[in-house]
Amino acid sequence: MTSKTQKSSVRPYPELKGNEPTVPQFGILDKLHGTWVNWKGGPKGLHTTPMPSPGTSSETVFGVFHFKSQQYREQLTFSKVNAPVRNRAGSNEQFNGPVKYETAIIDNNDDLQHFENGMYLWLGDNTMPWEENGQYQNPRTMFSRPSTAATVDEDGGVPVIGPGEQGPQFVPPHSISRSGVIPHGTTIHLTGNVTHFDQNQKPKPPERPEIAKLWEQPYLSISPTMGIDPERDLIPGSLKKPDWTTKPRDQQIDYPDQPEAHQGVNSARAYFLNIFNYNKYGAKFPYTVQPNLLLSEFNEGLNFKSYDLIELDSKHDTGVQGATVNNVMIERYCRVVRMRHRMWLERIELENGKEIDQLQYEQIVDFEFMFGASGETTQWPHIQVNTLRRLEDIPEEDQYDAIKLPEEDEPVTKPEARVHCMNHKAK
């Protein structure tokens, strides 16, 4: 009987040589490039936003809050930057594929509601061992960089390091990052990965994206800290509004034998009755409770050829985290503590046989402010969902007017420009 030494799954990356790469690898982000919009006759976006109520403070007990939800339309533009961005980490070098984004959102009255800009980065195909002919290996994103006689001499390496030395290979835990600047005073950094689904693959994936189950807690506008229990306070498997929502606040009881002090206006149902009974600006139940129902309902009857799911988060179970950084007022009175983002890049076939792209997203931003009866800080989900298509795929008669931000009338003076490329000669 013979035994063979099993090979390590860690395969060194190719050594960085010459002026490579000359162009970036965008991975799945390559599909984003362009302008995505809502269209006449199509679905609108929807947001649910809880806010501190006038006259309250961050220390208010109980959590009196203001709730706003409304439809919106959006203009979301992605622009690839054709320059690989080099990150040096000693024994490893990583080349990011940058994609800038800019969004503008208006409500049904054409009033500006939100604008934001930032950047997505393709960080690399996070697999080890990497494959020579892998989907995202040409151009490459990861290289090894051992020390050489020249680098040791230039950087004063003796006696710490000599030529030919190299540390462990870095395996990116995430393929994608998103950094964004929100004008309320929050900066976000999210990381995550992508999963591809194709109707031609085996086993065959679901016919359409599985957005969420009905009343699935992580996707509701009501967090567990708010005292509402989906299994108790909503009707399982039904979109019918619960009967308790028809009762006034002073008659609310969360459950049988609830202590009298916690009944009526002090009950969870009384506090959050306005989310269930909200009916303004095109927003109402059940979408004020589970906004992503708009995505799955619109997808019914569509013919999906393939779709990719990008999942990003500012928090992860282990390892290096993303971040949400707030200015002083936001941090003190309505702290943004987490952001989750799911984006579906879908290829669909229309009734006329034409194939087009569709982009759907859901992003959930967790606010923290005020306290419940237990003294714990309450977490308030702020949710946005939308379904968009490429501008060029929408018939001209179904296109809305473009959205322009109210910038200063006086134009910004810029010098005459020429294109400059990066030179990544191994130095």
Side-chain angles (χ1 to χ4, degrees):
M1 182 176 180
T2 59
S3 62
K4 293 183 179 180
T5 302
Q6 186 175 358
K7 291 184 178 180
S8 170
S9 62
V10 179
R11 181 185 178 195
Y13 296 114
E15 186 175 332
L16 181 66
K17 296 178 180 179
N19 186 29
E20 59 177 351
T22 57
V23 293
Q25 170 65 256
F26 294 108
I28 191 63
L29 303 183
D30 189 67
K31 295 183 178 181
L32 291 176
H33 186 77
T35 297
W36 304 76
V37 294
N38 296 102
W39 67 99
K40 296 176 182 177
K44 293 284 190 74
L46 186 88
H47 77 83
T48 62
T49 308
M51 296 168 273
S53 180
T56 64
S57 73
S58 59
E59 304 302 312
T60 298
V61 181
F62 303 103
V64 181
F65 72 104
H66 177 69
F67 181 75
K68 184 176 182 180
S69 182
Q70 60 189 152
Q71 291 180 330
Y72 64 83
R73 71 176 179 92
E74 182 172 8
Q75 182 175 293
L76 175 59
T77 300
F78 297 93
S79 304
K80 295 187 295 185
V81 181
N82 197 30
V85 180
R86 184 178 182 179
N87 287 338
R88 306 187 191 216
S91 293
N92 299 269
E93 300 216 359
Q94 180 184 52
F95 289 81
N96 297 337
V99 178
K100 298 189 296 182
Y101 78 89
E102 183 174 18
T103 187
I105 289 174
I106 62 174
D107 62 19
N108 287 342
N109 294 323
D110 289 343
D111 293 328
L112 182 66
Q113 292 294 317
H114 181 71
F115 59 95
E116 176 186 331
N117 59 28
M119 188 171 292
Y120 283 78
L121 298 177
W122 178 257
L123 306 176
D125 184 7
N126 60 326
T127 57
M128 183 61 78
W130 55 272
E131 298 178 5
E132 186 72 39
N133 60 348
Q135 183 180 6
Y136 300 125
Q137 292 297 333
N138 186 23
R140 304 185 192 282
T141 58
M142 295 299 304
F143 294 85
S144 64
R145 191 79 191 277
S147 60
T148 64
T151 63
V152 171
D153 180 64
E154 181 178 359
D155 298 340
V158 176
V160 177
I161 194 172
E165 297 192 34
Q166 185 174 16
Q169 298 294 277
F170 169 71
V171 183
H174 309 290
S175 292
I176 302 168
S177 73
R178 171 189 169 189
S179 298
V181 180
I182 290 85
H184 295 288
T186 298
T187 302
I188 60 166
H189 182 70
L190 317 178
T191 51
N193 295 301
V194 59
T195 306
H196 178 70
F197 301 87
D198 194 308
Q199 292 303 321
N200 293 322
Q201 71 186 40
K202 294 181 180 180
K204 199 169 185 178
E207 291 184 1
R208 59 183 64 89
E210 295 182 326
I211 306 295
K213 299 176 182 177
L214 182 61
W215 311 137
E216 190 171 355
Q217 179 70 77
Y219 308 111
L220 303 185
S221 63
I222 300 166
S223 78
T225 67
M226 297 163 73
I228 294 292
D229 182 350
E231 294 185 4
R232 179 194 67 201
D233 299 315
L234 291 158
I235 303 174
S238 173
L239 292 173
K240 185 176 181 295
K241 189 188 291 188
D243 291 339
W244 63 264
T245 59
T246 63
K247 299 178 181 179
R249 295 179 69 239
D250 59 3
Q251 294 181 20
Q252 294 294 338
I253 299 176
D254 294 330
Y255 54 86
D257 301 323
Q258 183 178 25
E260 187 175 349
H262 295 167
Q263 296 179 16
V265 295
N266 293 320
S267 66
R269 288 180 173 180
Y271 272 108
F272 305 112
L273 191 61
N274 54 346
I275 294 179
F276 288 82
N277 289 338
Y278 192 91
N279 190 1
K280 297 180 183 178
Y281 315 118
K284 62 181 180 179
F285 184 88
Y287 311 109
T288 54
V289 175
Q290 186 171 341
N292 65 26
L293 291 173
L294 289 168
L295 306 183
S296 54
E297 287 179 3
F298 180 73
N299 287 345
E300 293 178 4
L302 293 183
N303 184 8
F304 287 86
K305 309 301 287 186
S306 64
Y307 51 94
D308 299 278
L309 170 59
I310 295 173
E311 297 179 279
L312 307 178
D313 204 326
S314 65
K315 288 187 177 182
H316 299 282
D317 292 338
T318 62
V320 177
Q321 304 295 304
T324 56
V325 182
N326 306 305
N327 67 16
V328 176
M329 182 176 181
I330 297 299
E331 181 71 16
R332 184 173 296 175
Y333 295 107
C334 188
R335 185 168 60 255
V336 177
V337 296
R338 182 184 182 185
M339 181 174 177
R340 291 169 281 157
H341 179 77
R342 296 193 295 167
M343 179 190 292
W344 294 265
L345 297 174
E346 304 154 347
R347 189 71 176 170
I348 61 173
E349 182 179 352
L350 302 179
E351 291 181 356
N352 60 10
K354 180 182 178 181
E355 290 190 12
I356 66 169
D357 295 323
Q358 181 170 279
L359 184 156
Q360 295 185 302
Y361 71 79
E362 173 190 54
Q363 59 185 31
I364 302 175
V365 181
D366 289 333
F367 299 158
E368 285 187 358
F369 59 89
M370 302 181 183
F371 296 86
S374 64
E376 295 180 351
T377 303
T378 304
Q379 190 172 86
W380 310 80
H382 161 46
I383 303 177
Q384 288 177 265
V385 299
N386 206 355
T387 298
L388 306 169
R389 290 180 178 174
R390 292 187 183 277
L391 179 62
E392 59 267 30
D393 287 334
I394 299 172
E396 188 172 348
E397 63 271 18
D398 293 333
Q399 295 179 11
Y400 288 107
D401 293 336
I403 301 174
K404 181 176 174 58
L405 298 181
E407 297 173 336
E408 181 61 45
D409 292 336
E410 183 177 344
V412 177
T413 303
K414 296 181 180 180
E416 186 174 343
R418 68 183 180 90
V419 175
H420 297 266
C421 298
M422 289 187 172
N423 183 349
H424 292 305
K425 191 175 292 183
K427 58 185 178 181

